[in-house]
Amino acid sequence: MFDLVPFGKRREEAFGQLAKSFGDLFGDDFFAPLKSSTLSIRTDIREAEDRYLIEAELPGFTKDDIVIDYAAPYLTIKAVRKEENTEENSDRQIVRKERRYGEYVRRFYVQDIKEEGIRASLKNGVLSLEVPKRQKPEGTRIEIRDDEQ
């Protein structure tokens, strides 16, 4: 008997299956380096009365890999990874060579901070920043005089 599916529909389904199989074989992780060379950093930000506390996840980075910069009004955290793994056999021929490069960047818009008081520490893959706030000057109350002269 005849199929109830139109002829064109069969081709679309076959193409869809092929595309899905291709997608499963080459998942998003495979194409990730082609999409963007800049990766983001996961952060937690807390605000206290006198400062901001920022914790950024940077596992596997050393303090030499990380640059923290403040150019008003942006605070930027940048971490660069350059890693190569090489295995050679006894004839000094490369059997396997893997490279991993990446630049992680996170930028925050902050105003009214004391840039000279920013402190940073790195422990167990977590970068902690303490960013003190600049105290806003309190206004001065102006007395109204009587116009009696």
Side-chain angles (χ1 to χ4, degrees):
M1 285 295 263
F2 296 105
D3 240 53
L4 297 178
V5 179
F7 293 122
K9 184 76 172 171
R10 274 196 205 148
R11 267 185 257 135
E12 290 173 7
E13 286 178 1
F15 182 76
Q17 284 295 95
L18 180 62
K20 183 183 178 318
S21 298
F22 230 59
D24 292 343
L25 181 62
F26 301 108
D28 284 340
D29 291 338
F30 180 80
F31 291 109
L34 300 176
K35 291 179 183 174
S36 173
S37 62
T38 304
L39 305 167
S40 187
I41 301 168
R42 295 180 189 262
T43 59
D44 295 332
I45 303 170
R46 284 180 261 140
E47 182 177 7
E49 189 173 321
D50 61 339
R51 66 183 173 234
Y52 296 102
L53 301 169
I54 301 171
E55 291 181 338
E57 292 181 5
L58 292 168
F61 287 96
T62 65
K63 68 179 189 173
D64 296 330
D65 298 332
I66 302 169
V67 174
I68 303 166
D69 181 42
Y70 180 70
Y74 293 101
L75 176 68
T76 304
I77 302 171
K78 180 178 171 182
V80 179
R81 174 169 308 210
K82 295 179 181 177
E83 183 178 306
E84 288 192 20
N85 296 324
T86 304
E87 291 183 17
E88 298 179 0
N89 63 9
S90 59
D91 297 334
R92 312 253 323 138
Q93 295 174 341
I94 296 175
V95 174
R96 179 179 68 107
K97 185 172 189 172
E98 295 179 356
R99 292 164 216 82
R100 185 165 55 161
Y101 298 95
E103 184 176 281
Y104 295 77
V105 177
R106 190 69 188 262
R107 182 170 284 143
F108 304 96
Y109 181 84
V110 289
Q111 289 182 325
D112 299 325
I113 64 170
K114 295 180 188 175
E115 61 184 281
E116 63 278 353
I118 298 173
R119 292 194 315 239
S121 64
L122 181 66
K123 184 177 181 182
N124 296 328
V126 177
L127 175 69
S128 299
L129 288 170
E130 188 174 307
V131 182
K133 293 179 181 179
R134 188 173 308 283
Q135 297 301 320
K136 294 180 183 177
E138 293 186 23
T140 304
R141 183 178 175 146
I142 300 171
E143 292 293 324
I144 301 172
R145 299 185 315 196
D146 290 329
D147 278 342
E148 296 174 17
Q149 298 176 344

